[in-house]
Protein backbone atom coordinates (compact mmCIF):
# COMPACT_ATOMS: atom_id res chain seq x y z
CA UNK A 1 0.00 0.00 0.00
CA UNK A 2 1.39 3.42 -0.93
CA UNK A 3 2.27 5.83 1.89
CA UNK A 4 -0.26 8.33 0.56
CA UNK A 5 -3.00 5.68 0.79
CA UNK A 6 -2.00 4.73 4.36
CA UNK A 7 -2.17 8.35 5.48
CA UNK A 8 -5.40 9.18 3.70
CA UNK A 9 -8.27 10.12 5.98
CA UNK A 10 -11.35 7.86 6.00
CA UNK A 11 -14.67 8.79 4.48
CA UNK A 12 -17.31 9.80 7.03
CA UNK A 13 -19.42 7.01 8.51
CA UNK A 14 -22.91 6.39 7.14
CA UNK A 15 -24.61 4.40 4.43
CA UNK A 16 -25.50 4.90 0.79
CA UNK A 17 -28.61 2.72 0.71
CA UNK A 18 -30.18 1.66 -2.57
CA UNK A 19 -28.52 2.20 -5.96
CA UNK A 20 -29.19 5.76 -7.21
CA UNK A 21 -32.12 6.36 -4.84
CA UNK A 22 -29.93 5.85 -1.78
CA UNK A 23 -31.86 7.09 1.26
CA UNK A 24 -34.17 9.41 -0.67
CA UNK A 25 -37.34 7.71 0.58
CA UNK A 26 -36.17 8.04 4.19
CA UNK A 27 -35.63 11.79 3.93
CA UNK A 28 -38.95 12.32 2.14
CA UNK A 29 -40.78 10.22 4.73
CA UNK A 30 -39.49 12.32 7.65
CA UNK A 31 -36.71 14.78 6.90
CA UNK A 32 -36.22 15.84 10.54
CA UNK A 33 -36.03 12.26 11.80
CA UNK A 34 -33.61 11.42 8.99
CA UNK A 35 -30.98 13.81 10.36
CA UNK A 36 -31.70 13.09 14.02
CA UNK A 37 -31.50 9.30 13.65
CA UNK A 38 -28.25 9.39 11.70
CA UNK A 39 -26.67 11.82 14.12
CA UNK A 40 -27.40 9.32 16.90
CA UNK A 41 -25.97 6.44 14.86
CA UNK A 42 -22.94 8.01 13.17
CA UNK A 43 -22.09 11.26 14.91
CA UNK A 44 -22.16 14.86 13.67
CA UNK A 45 -20.54 14.24 10.24
CA UNK A 46 -21.94 11.44 8.11
CA UNK A 47 -22.43 10.36 4.52
CA UNK A 48 -25.52 9.34 2.58
CA UNK A 49 -26.84 9.11 -0.97
CA UNK A 50 -29.82 11.23 -2.03
CA UNK A 51 -31.38 11.77 -5.45
CA UNK A 52 -28.49 9.95 -7.14
CA UNK A 53 -25.70 11.93 -5.44
CA UNK A 54 -23.29 11.12 -2.62
CA UNK A 55 -23.56 13.66 0.20
CA UNK A 56 -21.85 14.59 3.44
CA UNK A 57 -23.91 16.17 6.21
CA UNK A 58 -21.98 18.71 8.27
CA UNK A 59 -22.95 19.37 11.88
CA UNK A 60 -21.05 20.25 15.02
CA UNK A 61 -20.15 23.93 15.17
CA UNK A 62 -16.71 23.60 13.57
CA UNK A 63 -17.89 21.51 10.64
CA UNK A 64 -21.01 23.60 10.10
CA UNK A 65 -18.92 26.78 10.00
CA UNK A 66 -16.69 25.19 7.38
CA UNK A 67 -19.74 24.24 5.31
CA UNK A 68 -21.09 27.79 5.48
CA UNK A 69 -17.88 29.71 4.84
CA UNK A 70 -15.34 27.55 2.97
CA UNK A 71 -15.12 28.62 -0.71
CA UNK A 72 -14.48 25.00 -1.71
CA UNK A 73 -18.21 24.35 -1.09
CA UNK A 74 -20.41 26.07 -3.66
CA UNK A 75 -24.21 26.19 -3.58
CA UNK A 76 -26.34 25.12 -6.53
CA UNK A 77 -26.08 22.09 -8.81
CA UNK A 78 -26.81 19.60 -6.00
CA UNK A 79 -30.34 20.41 -4.82
CA UNK A 80 -33.22 17.99 -5.47
CA UNK A 81 -35.60 18.80 -8.29
CA UNK A 82 -38.26 19.92 -5.78
CA UNK A 83 -35.97 22.74 -4.56
CA UNK A 84 -34.97 23.62 -8.12
CA UNK A 85 -38.62 23.93 -9.14
CA UNK A 86 -39.98 25.76 -6.09
CA UNK A 87 -36.99 28.14 -5.92
CA UNK A 88 -36.57 28.50 -9.69
CA UNK A 89 -34.35 31.47 -10.62
CA UNK A 90 -33.80 32.29 -6.95
CA UNK A 91 -30.47 33.35 -5.51
CA UNK A 92 -30.77 30.37 -3.12
CA UNK A 93 -29.59 28.18 -6.00
CA UNK A 94 -26.59 30.23 -7.14
CA UNK A 95 -23.32 31.38 -5.65
CA UNK A 96 -20.53 33.85 -6.29
CA UNK A 97 -20.66 37.53 -7.20
CA UNK A 98 -24.19 37.45 -8.62
CA UNK A 99 -25.50 35.85 -5.44
CA UNK A 100 -23.80 38.40 -3.19
CA UNK A 101 -25.06 41.34 -5.28
CA UNK A 102 -28.65 40.13 -5.39
CA UNK A 103 -28.51 39.26 -1.69
CA UNK A 104 -27.48 42.85 -0.92
CA UNK A 105 -30.59 44.01 -2.77
CA UNK A 106 -32.74 41.66 -0.71
CA UNK A 107 -31.16 42.78 2.57
CA UNK A 108 -31.94 46.43 1.80
CA UNK A 109 -35.63 45.48 1.85
CA UNK A 110 -35.91 42.91 4.64
CA UNK A 111 -32.75 43.02 6.74
CA UNK A 112 -32.04 46.68 7.44
CA UNK A 113 -33.34 48.26 10.64
CA UNK A 114 -34.86 51.21 8.75
CA UNK A 115 -36.83 48.91 6.46
CA UNK A 116 -38.16 46.77 9.30
CA UNK A 117 -39.14 49.90 11.26
CA UNK A 118 -41.25 51.07 8.33
CA UNK A 119 -43.20 47.79 8.37
CA UNK A 120 -43.87 47.81 12.12
CA UNK A 121 -47.25 49.62 12.05
CA UNK A 122 -48.60 47.16 9.48
CA UNK A 123 -47.24 44.17 11.38
CA UNK A 124 -48.78 45.42 14.63
CA UNK A 125 -52.13 46.14 13.00
CA UNK A 126 -52.39 42.66 11.47
CA UNK A 127 -51.23 40.92 14.64
CA UNK A 128 -53.81 42.79 16.73
CA UNK A 129 -56.47 41.77 14.21
CA UNK A 130 -55.39 38.15 14.67
CA UNK A 131 -55.18 38.23 18.46
CA UNK A 132 -58.41 40.12 19.22
CA UNK A 133 -60.85 37.23 18.48
CA UNK A 134 -58.90 34.92 20.80
CA UNK A 135 -59.11 37.35 23.67
CA UNK A 136 -62.79 38.06 23.10
CA UNK A 137 -63.65 34.35 22.99
CA UNK A 138 -61.24 33.37 25.76
CA UNK A 139 -59.75 30.72 23.47
CA UNK A 140 -58.15 30.08 20.14
CA UNK A 141 -59.25 26.82 18.52
CA UNK A 142 -56.46 26.57 15.94
CA UNK A 143 -53.65 29.08 16.36
CA UNK A 144 -51.62 27.50 13.59
CA UNK A 145 -54.34 28.29 11.02
CA UNK A 146 -54.92 31.79 12.40
CA UNK A 147 -51.21 32.67 12.41
CA UNK A 148 -50.73 31.13 8.98
CA UNK A 149 -53.48 33.44 7.70
CA UNK A 150 -51.82 36.40 9.46
CA UNK A 151 -48.62 35.63 7.55
CA UNK A 152 -50.56 35.50 4.27
CA UNK A 153 -52.16 38.87 5.05
CA UNK A 154 -48.73 40.30 5.78
CA UNK A 155 -47.57 39.01 2.38
CA UNK A 156 -50.34 40.99 0.72
CA UNK A 157 -49.45 44.09 2.70
CA UNK A 158 -45.68 43.94 2.09
CA UNK A 159 -45.33 42.31 -1.34
CA UNK A 160 -48.40 42.66 -3.55
CA UNK A 161 -50.34 45.64 -2.25
CA UNK A 162 -53.53 43.55 -2.15
CA UNK A 163 -54.89 43.52 1.40
CA UNK A 164 -58.15 41.74 0.62
CA UNK A 165 -59.11 38.61 2.53
CA UNK A 166 -59.63 36.79 -0.77
CA UNK A 167 -56.02 37.46 -1.72
CA UNK A 168 -54.77 36.29 1.69
CA UNK A 169 -56.76 33.06 1.34
CA UNK A 170 -55.34 32.45 -2.13
CA UNK A 171 -51.76 33.08 -0.99
CA UNK A 172 -52.27 30.87 2.05
CA UNK A 173 -53.53 27.93 -0.03
CA UNK A 174 -50.85 28.20 -2.71
CA UNK A 175 -47.98 28.50 -0.25
CA UNK A 176 -49.27 25.46 1.67
CA UNK A 177 -49.28 23.49 -1.57
CA UNK A 178 -45.70 24.59 -2.30
CA UNK A 179 -44.53 23.36 1.10
CA UNK A 180 -45.91 19.93 0.26
CA UNK A 181 -43.43 19.67 -2.63
CA UNK A 182 -40.73 18.70 -0.14
CA UNK A 183 -42.74 15.89 1.44
CA UNK A 184 -43.43 13.75 -1.62
CA UNK A 185 -41.77 12.31 -4.71
CA UNK A 186 -41.22 15.04 -7.33
CA UNK A 187 -43.54 13.65 -9.99
CA UNK A 188 -45.44 16.56 -11.63
CA UNK A 189 -48.65 14.64 -12.25
CA UNK A 190 -51.81 16.80 -12.11
CA UNK A 191 -53.80 16.21 -8.95
CA UNK A 192 -50.89 14.83 -6.92
CA UNK A 193 -49.26 16.78 -4.10
CA UNK A 194 -46.29 17.61 -6.28
CA UNK A 195 -48.47 18.50 -9.25
CA UNK A 196 -50.45 20.90 -7.05
CA UNK A 197 -47.21 22.37 -5.70
CA UNK A 198 -45.92 23.22 -9.17
CA UNK A 199 -49.30 24.64 -10.22
CA UNK A 200 -49.29 26.82 -7.11
CA UNK A 201 -45.74 28.00 -7.78
CA UNK A 202 -46.82 29.06 -11.25
CA UNK A 203 -49.79 30.96 -9.79
CA UNK A 204 -47.50 32.72 -7.29
CA UNK A 205 -45.25 33.63 -10.24
CA UNK A 206 -48.22 35.32 -11.94
CA UNK A 207 -49.00 37.25 -8.75
CA UNK A 208 -45.36 38.34 -8.34
CA UNK A 209 -45.10 39.45 -11.98
CA UNK A 210 -48.27 41.54 -11.67
CA UNK A 211 -47.02 43.03 -8.41
CA UNK A 212 -43.70 44.01 -9.98
CA UNK A 213 -45.47 45.78 -12.84
CA UNK A 214 -47.67 47.74 -10.43
CA UNK A 215 -44.70 48.66 -8.24
CA UNK A 216 -42.68 49.91 -11.20
CA UNK A 217 -45.37 52.52 -11.69
CA UNK A 218 -44.62 53.86 -8.19
CA UNK A 219 -46.77 54.70 -5.20
CA UNK A 220 -45.63 51.94 -2.83
CA UNK A 221 -43.35 51.74 0.20
CA UNK A 222 -42.92 48.06 0.95
CA UNK A 223 -40.49 45.20 0.39
CA UNK A 224 -40.95 45.08 -3.39
CA UNK A 225 -40.59 48.84 -3.86
CA UNK A 226 -37.41 48.85 -1.76
CA UNK A 227 -35.99 45.93 -3.75
CA UNK A 228 -36.68 47.80 -6.99
CA UNK A 229 -34.81 50.88 -5.72
CA UNK A 230 -31.89 48.79 -4.44
CA UNK A 231 -31.69 46.78 -7.67
CA UNK A 232 -31.68 49.93 -9.79
CA UNK A 233 -28.85 51.43 -7.74
CA UNK A 234 -26.84 48.17 -7.95
CA UNK A 235 -27.43 47.68 -11.70
CA UNK A 236 -29.29 44.44 -11.01
CA UNK A 237 -31.88 43.68 -13.74
CA UNK A 238 -35.42 44.10 -12.45
CA UNK A 239 -36.44 40.79 -14.02
CA UNK A 240 -33.99 38.97 -11.75
CA UNK A 241 -36.06 40.09 -8.74
CA UNK A 242 -38.91 37.77 -9.70
CA UNK A 243 -37.46 34.53 -8.30
CA UNK A 244 -36.05 36.30 -5.25
CA UNK A 245 -39.43 37.85 -4.38
CA UNK A 246 -41.09 34.43 -4.73
CA UNK A 247 -38.41 32.98 -2.45
CA UNK A 248 -39.01 35.68 0.16
CA UNK A 249 -42.78 35.19 0.05
CA UNK A 250 -42.47 31.42 0.44
CA UNK A 251 -39.83 31.49 3.18
CA UNK A 252 -41.43 34.47 4.88
CA UNK A 253 -44.80 32.86 5.50
CA UNK A 254 -43.23 29.90 7.30
CA UNK A 255 -40.72 32.23 8.90
CA UNK A 256 -43.57 34.07 10.61
CA UNK A 257 -46.33 31.61 11.45
CA UNK A 258 -44.10 28.72 12.56
CA UNK A 259 -42.10 30.54 15.29
CA UNK A 260 -45.20 32.47 16.43
CA UNK A 261 -47.16 29.23 16.87
CA UNK A 262 -44.33 27.50 18.71
CA UNK A 263 -43.62 30.56 20.87
CA UNK A 264 -47.25 30.57 22.02
CA UNK A 265 -46.98 26.87 22.86
CA UNK A 266 -43.73 26.96 24.82
CA UNK A 267 -44.44 30.17 26.75
CA UNK A 268 -47.88 28.79 27.65
CA UNK A 269 -46.16 25.72 29.07
CA UNK A 270 -43.79 27.79 31.22
CA UNK A 271 -45.72 30.29 33.41
CA UNK A 272 -42.49 31.51 35.00
CA UNK A 273 -41.12 32.50 31.59
CA UNK A 274 -44.43 34.17 30.73
CA UNK A 275 -44.37 36.33 33.85
CA UNK A 276 -40.73 37.29 33.47
CA UNK A 277 -41.43 38.30 29.86
CA UNK A 278 -44.56 40.23 30.90
CA UNK A 279 -42.60 42.23 33.46
CA UNK A 280 -40.22 43.33 30.72
CA UNK A 281 -43.03 44.24 28.33
CA UNK A 282 -44.93 46.30 30.92
CA UNK A 283 -41.74 48.10 31.89
CA UNK A 284 -40.70 48.92 28.33
CA UNK A 285 -43.81 48.97 26.11
CA UNK A 286 -47.02 48.85 28.19
CA UNK A 287 -49.33 50.28 25.50
CA UNK A 288 -49.53 52.10 22.19
CA UNK A 289 -47.47 51.58 19.05
CA UNK A 290 -44.52 49.24 19.48
CA UNK A 291 -41.35 50.99 18.33
CA UNK A 292 -37.97 49.71 17.22
CA UNK A 293 -36.38 51.45 20.20
CA UNK A 294 -38.67 49.51 22.55
CA UNK A 295 -38.07 46.25 20.71
CA UNK A 296 -34.32 46.67 21.04
CA UNK A 297 -34.63 47.21 24.80
CA UNK A 298 -36.62 43.99 25.38
CA UNK A 299 -33.66 41.64 25.87
CA UNK A 300 -35.55 38.78 27.51
CA UNK A 301 -38.03 38.61 24.65
CA UNK A 302 -35.06 38.36 22.30
CA UNK A 303 -33.69 35.48 24.36
CA UNK A 304 -37.05 33.70 24.09
CA UNK A 305 -37.19 34.22 20.33
CA UNK A 306 -33.70 32.77 19.88
CA UNK A 307 -34.29 29.79 22.15
CA UNK A 308 -37.52 28.96 20.29
CA UNK A 309 -35.52 28.74 17.06
CA UNK A 310 -32.84 26.60 18.72
CA UNK A 311 -35.21 24.29 20.58
CA UNK A 312 -37.75 23.45 17.86
CA UNK A 313 -37.00 21.70 14.58
CA UNK A 314 -38.00 24.49 12.22
CA UNK A 315 -35.32 23.91 9.57
CA UNK A 316 -33.73 20.51 9.27
CA UNK A 317 -31.05 21.50 6.77
CA UNK A 318 -29.63 24.11 4.45
CA UNK A 319 -29.87 24.25 0.70
CA UNK A 320 -27.37 21.82 -0.78
CA UNK A 321 -23.85 22.57 -1.97
CA UNK A 322 -21.17 20.86 -4.04
CA UNK A 323 -17.56 20.17 -2.97
CA UNK A 324 -15.24 21.70 -5.58
CA UNK A 325 -12.02 19.99 -4.49
CA UNK A 326 -10.95 17.29 -2.05
CA UNK A 327 -11.06 18.52 1.53
CA UNK A 328 -10.82 17.25 5.11
CA UNK A 329 -13.30 18.13 7.84
CA UNK A 330 -13.41 16.72 11.35
CA UNK A 331 -10.86 14.05 10.52
CA UNK A 332 -12.76 12.81 7.46
CA UNK A 333 -12.02 12.99 3.75
CA UNK A 334 -14.66 14.68 1.58
CA UNK A 335 -14.09 13.90 -2.12
CA UNK A 336 -14.41 16.46 -4.88
CA UNK A 337 -17.83 16.32 -6.51
CA UNK A 338 -19.76 15.12 -3.48
CA UNK A 339 -22.77 17.06 -2.29
CA UNK A 340 -22.70 18.94 1.02
CA UNK A 341 -25.52 19.74 3.45
CA UNK A 342 -25.51 21.72 6.69
CA UNK A 343 -27.58 19.95 9.36
CA UNK A 344 -29.26 22.93 11.02
CA UNK A 345 -31.40 21.52 13.82
CA UNK A 346 -29.13 18.67 14.87
CA UNK A 347 -26.31 21.20 15.05
CA UNK A 348 -28.17 23.17 17.73
CA UNK A 349 -28.83 20.06 19.84
CA UNK A 350 -25.12 19.56 20.50
CA UNK A 351 -24.79 19.03 24.30
CA UNK A 352 -21.16 20.19 24.20
CA UNK A 353 -22.37 23.62 23.11
CA UNK A 354 -25.89 23.70 24.56
CA UNK A 355 -25.92 21.62 27.79
CA UNK A 356 -29.14 19.70 28.42
CA UNK A 357 -30.33 20.58 24.89
CA UNK A 358 -33.84 19.15 25.41
CA UNK A 359 -34.57 21.77 28.06
CA UNK A 360 -36.10 25.10 26.99
CA UNK A 361 -33.95 27.81 28.58
CA UNK A 362 -33.94 31.38 27.23
CA UNK A 363 -31.02 32.24 29.51
CA UNK A 364 -28.77 30.36 27.09
CA UNK A 365 -28.90 33.63 25.18
CA UNK A 366 -27.95 36.02 27.93
CA UNK A 367 -25.59 38.46 26.16
CA UNK A 368 -22.41 37.13 27.80
CA UNK A 369 -23.31 33.50 27.13
CA UNK A 370 -24.30 34.18 23.53
CA UNK A 371 -21.07 36.11 22.92
CA UNK A 372 -19.10 33.07 24.11
CA UNK A 373 -20.64 30.76 21.50
CA UNK A 374 -18.20 29.62 18.84
CA UNK A 375 -18.97 30.41 15.19
CA UNK A 376 -21.29 27.80 13.70
CA UNK A 377 -23.07 27.07 17.00
CA UNK A 378 -26.37 28.93 16.68
CA UNK A 379 -27.51 28.58 13.08
CA UNK A 380 -31.32 28.63 12.67
CA UNK A 381 -30.82 31.02 9.75
CA UNK A 382 -27.52 29.60 8.58
CA UNK A 383 -24.03 30.92 9.24
CA UNK A 384 -21.43 33.18 7.70
CA UNK A 385 -21.74 36.61 6.15
CA UNK A 386 -25.15 38.22 5.65
CA UNK A 387 -24.51 38.71 1.93
CA UNK A 388 -23.73 35.02 1.46
CA UNK A 389 -26.19 32.17 2.21
CA UNK A 390 -27.34 33.29 5.65
CA UNK A 391 -31.12 33.80 5.69
CA UNK A 392 -31.99 37.49 5.10
CA UNK A 393 -35.13 37.25 7.26
CA UNK A 394 -33.32 36.67 10.55
CA UNK A 395 -33.85 40.19 11.90
CA UNK A 396 -37.45 40.63 10.80
CA UNK A 397 -38.44 37.26 12.31
CA UNK A 398 -36.92 38.30 15.64
CA UNK A 399 -38.89 41.54 15.52
CA UNK A 400 -42.14 39.72 14.66
CA UNK A 401 -41.81 37.36 17.64
CA UNK A 402 -41.13 40.28 19.99
CA UNK A 403 -44.04 42.36 18.69
CA UNK A 404 -46.38 39.36 18.95
CA UNK A 405 -45.35 38.60 22.54
CA UNK A 406 -45.63 42.26 23.46
CA UNK A 407 -49.20 42.51 22.22
CA UNK A 408 -50.24 39.29 23.97
CA UNK A 409 -48.46 39.92 27.26
CA UNK A 410 -49.90 43.42 27.63
CA UNK A 411 -53.38 41.98 27.88
CA UNK A 412 -53.49 38.25 28.43
CA UNK A 413 -52.37 35.14 30.20
CA UNK A 414 -52.71 31.79 28.47
CA UNK A 415 -52.42 28.07 29.06
CA UNK A 416 -52.32 25.00 26.84
CA UNK A 417 -55.20 22.56 27.46
CA UNK A 418 -54.77 18.82 26.95
CA UNK A 419 -54.54 17.96 23.26
CA UNK A 420 -52.31 16.14 20.76
CA UNK A 421 -49.11 18.18 20.77
CA UNK A 422 -47.17 15.62 18.75
CA UNK A 423 -45.13 17.52 16.19
CA UNK A 424 -46.28 16.67 12.68
CA UNK A 425 -44.15 15.26 9.89
CA UNK A 426 -44.10 18.39 7.75
CA UNK A 427 -41.48 20.67 6.30
CA UNK A 428 -42.03 22.71 9.48
CA UNK A 429 -43.25 20.36 12.26
CA UNK A 430 -46.12 21.83 14.29
CA UNK A 431 -48.59 20.51 16.90
CA UNK A 432 -50.94 17.94 15.37
CA UNK A 433 -53.92 19.61 17.04
CA UNK A 434 -53.22 22.93 15.33
CA UNK A 435 -52.73 24.27 18.88
CA UNK A 436 -55.72 25.12 21.07
CA UNK A 437 -55.02 27.81 23.65
CA UNK A 438 -57.08 29.14 26.58
CA UNK A 439 -56.79 32.90 27.14
CA UNK A 440 -57.81 35.09 30.04
CA UNK A 441 -57.32 38.76 30.76
CA UNK A 442 -54.22 39.61 32.71
CA UNK A 443 -55.10 41.16 36.05
CA UNK A 444 -52.17 42.95 37.74
CA UNK A 445 -51.50 41.88 41.32
CA UNK A 446 -52.39 44.67 43.75
CA UNK A 447 -49.64 46.20 45.84
Amino acid sequence: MAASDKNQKPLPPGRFGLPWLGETFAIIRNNHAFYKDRLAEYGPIFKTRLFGNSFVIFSGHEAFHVFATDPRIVRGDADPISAEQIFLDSLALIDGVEHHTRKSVMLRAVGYRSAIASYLPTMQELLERTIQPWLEAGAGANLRADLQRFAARLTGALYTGDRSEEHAAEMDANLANMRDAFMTLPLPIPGTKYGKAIASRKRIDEIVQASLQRHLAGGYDDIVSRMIVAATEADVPIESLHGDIRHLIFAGQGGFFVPLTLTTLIVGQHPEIMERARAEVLAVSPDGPVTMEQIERMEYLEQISKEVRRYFAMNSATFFGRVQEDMEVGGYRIPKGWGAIGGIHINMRNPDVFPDPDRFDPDRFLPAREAALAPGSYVPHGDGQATHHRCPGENIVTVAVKVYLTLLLRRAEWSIPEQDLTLTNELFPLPASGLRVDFRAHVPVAG
Side-chain angles (χ1 to χ4, degrees), residues 162-438:
D162 187 341
R163 297 187 59 159
S164 70
E165 197 60 23
E166 293 77 12
H167 181 66
E170 181 181 18
M171 296 299 288
D172 198 353
N174 282 304
L175 292 168
N177 286 341
M178 288 168 67
R179 288 192 293 275
D180 282 344
F182 301 97
M183 305 303 298
T184 188
L185 285 175
L187 302 175
I189 301 170
T192 64
K193 277 189 175 183
Y194 194 76
K196 290 178 181 178
I198 297 305
S200 286
R201 193 220 72 205
K202 292 177 179 178
R203 175 56 186 147
I204 294 293
D205 282 344
E206 294 172 352
I207 292 170
V208 169
Q209 185 60 34
S211 176
L212 268 171
Q213 293 305 311
R214 289 194 302 272
H215 280 73
L216 285 168
Y220 293 87
D221 180 14
D222 57 15
I223 289 173
V224 172
S225 67
R226 287 170 181 258
M227 287 181 70
I228 289 171
V229 170
T232 302
E233 293 176 355
D235 292 325
V236 170
I238 297 300
E239 56 266 25
S240 72
L241 298 182
H242 186 117
D244 295 340
I245 291 170
R246 185 210 314 117
H247 180 182
L248 282 173
I249 288 173
F250 176 83
Q253 193 195 26
F256 288 121
F257 86 82
V258 175
L260 296 184
T261 301
L262 295 172
T263 296
T264 317
L265 167 64
I266 201 72
V267 173
Q269 291 174 325
H270 292 81
E272 73 286 357
I273 291 176
M274 183 185 297
E275 292 314 310
R276 183 174 166 188
R278 187 193 317 283
E280 181 175 76
V281 166
L282 296 181
V284 175
S285 182
D287 52 43
V290 184
T291 68
M292 285 296 288
E293 291 76 15
Q294 291 172 341
I295 287 169
E296 289 162 351
R297 289 170 56 197
M298 290 190 279
E299 295 181 356
Y300 189 60
L301 264 58
E302 177 133 352
Q303 292 170 217
I304 292 172
S305 78
K306 288 177 176 176
E307 177 68 346
V308 165
R309 284 172 277 175
R310 184 206 68 82
Y311 181 81
F312 288 104
M314 295 188 200
N315 291 308
S316 62
T318 61
F319 285 92
F320 299 176
R322 180 81 68 184
V323 177
Q324 302 299 300
E325 59 183 86
D326 290 354
M327 58 191 299
E328 293 181 7
V329 177
Y332 298 113
R333 171 171 56 94
I334 316 296
K336 176 182 177 180
W338 279 31
I341 304 171
I344 290 178
H345 182 61
I346 59 174
N347 189 66
M348 296 186 294
R349 287 304 185 97
N350 182 349
D352 295 333
V353 177
F354 298 105
D356 194 7
D358 293 331
R359 179 169 59 89
F360 186 83
D361 179 12
D363 282 343
R364 297 180 197 275
F365 293 97
L366 284 165
R369 291 177 65 178
E370 183 178 10
L373 292 173
S377 298
Y378 178 68
V379 294
H381 301 273
D383 188 24
Q385 298 180 43
T387 54
H388 290 213
H389 280 276
R390 193 179 185 108
C391 174
E394 185 170 4
N395 294 336
I396 199 169
V397 169
T398 300
V399 168
V401 172
K402 294 171 82 170
V403 173
Y404 174 70
L405 279 175
T406 297
L407 298 177
L408 274 181
L409 291 166
R410 283 173 173 179
R411 301 173 57 191
E413 301 173 9
W414 65 94
S415 57
I416 312 300
E418 186 174 348
Q419 60 194 285
D420 185 359
L421 296 176
T422 305
L423 296 181
T424 55
N425 174 28
E426 298 177 74
L427 183 61
F428 307 121
L430 289 160
S433 64
L435 191 60
R436 297 193 313 276
V437 179
D438 291 336

